[in-house]
Amino acid sequence: MDEAARAMPFDVPFQLGPFSVRPDGRLALAEPDRKPCFRLQWRGCEVEARLRVRGPEGDLGELSLQAKVGRVPSTARLGAGAAQEREAVFTTLRSLAPSLPEGWSTTLMADHQVALFTACRVEMPTTINSLLTDVTMFLLSLGPYLDLLAEAGVEPPAAAPEAAPGMAKT
């Protein structure tokens, strides 16, 4: 038995969720039009990673990453200084773009959530190690911007409602 057959105990290629797993363990999209994604919580932010195939040969992919980092304070908030606090957030958001890493952008969503976006090229078929490295580097790079936005007054994202017993995904 050759080494590849010992390392992969399944008949290959095989489908695992939206992926086709090749004999060398690399992942290709089983259906090129499908855009698999997953969401995670990191430092209170909802982060979404989405993979899609680009290029006519299907040999290039794009991993897009979005983090909902907080919310601009509401105008309905009571208290002296609320308008100044809100303006400080907008000033910080306007000045943020030049300091973001290349390829990153920020947007203010209709519900006043602040989101940071980026996308990176992925060689297809890819490996799980490559995908996890890209996501991890995004999370680590995001940290200082979360600190800056929190200091400027961006309200932390609302906590996810606690799941009923037995309903939480593990």
Side-chain angles (χ1 to χ4, degrees):
M1 185 185 310
D2 69 7
E3 191 172 324
R6 259 184 279 138
M8 189 67 69
F10 305 104
D11 291 330
V12 288
F14 64 93
Q15 189 164 341
L16 180 62
F19 298 103
S20 173
V21 181
R22 300 195 174 192
D24 62 357
R26 295 179 79 74
L27 306 172
L29 292 183
E31 300 171 31
D33 294 337
R34 204 165 167 193
K35 298 177 183 114
C37 74
F38 75 94
R39 291 175 186 85
L40 62 105
Q41 294 283 322
W42 188 73
R43 290 187 56 181
C45 298
E46 180 183 312
V47 178
E48 179 181 280
R50 185 174 299 274
L51 180 64
R52 68 180 179 158
V53 174
R54 302 196 76 158
E57 302 298 317
D59 57 344
L60 291 178
E62 180 181 83
L63 179 64
S64 61
L65 299 156
Q66 171 189 314
K68 294 179 182 174
V69 299
R71 185 177 304 276
V72 172
S74 171
T75 55
R77 215 169 54 166
L78 300 175
Q84 291 84 3
E85 290 174 24
R86 186 174 161 89
E87 187 53 40
V89 168
F90 283 125
T91 299
T92 300
L93 289 174
R94 283 189 292 268
S95 67
L96 191 60
S99 70
L100 290 173
E102 184 176 340
W104 285 40
S105 63
T106 185
T107 189
L108 181 61
M109 301 168 83
D111 62 356
H112 291 198
Q113 286 189 85
V114 177
L116 290 171
F117 297 93
T118 192
C120 57
R121 291 177 46 163
V122 175
E123 181 183 329
M124 295 298 289
T126 189
T127 64
I128 191 63
N129 288 346
S130 175
L131 294 174
L132 288 176
T133 298
D134 289 340
V135 171
T136 301
M137 294 307 294
F138 174 71
L139 296 176
L140 292 173
S141 298
L142 186 62
Y145 299 101
L146 294 177
D147 296 338
L148 175 70
L149 292 169
E151 190 175 304
V154 171
E155 297 173 346
E162 190 141 335
M167 299 301 291
K169 290 185 180 179
T170 58

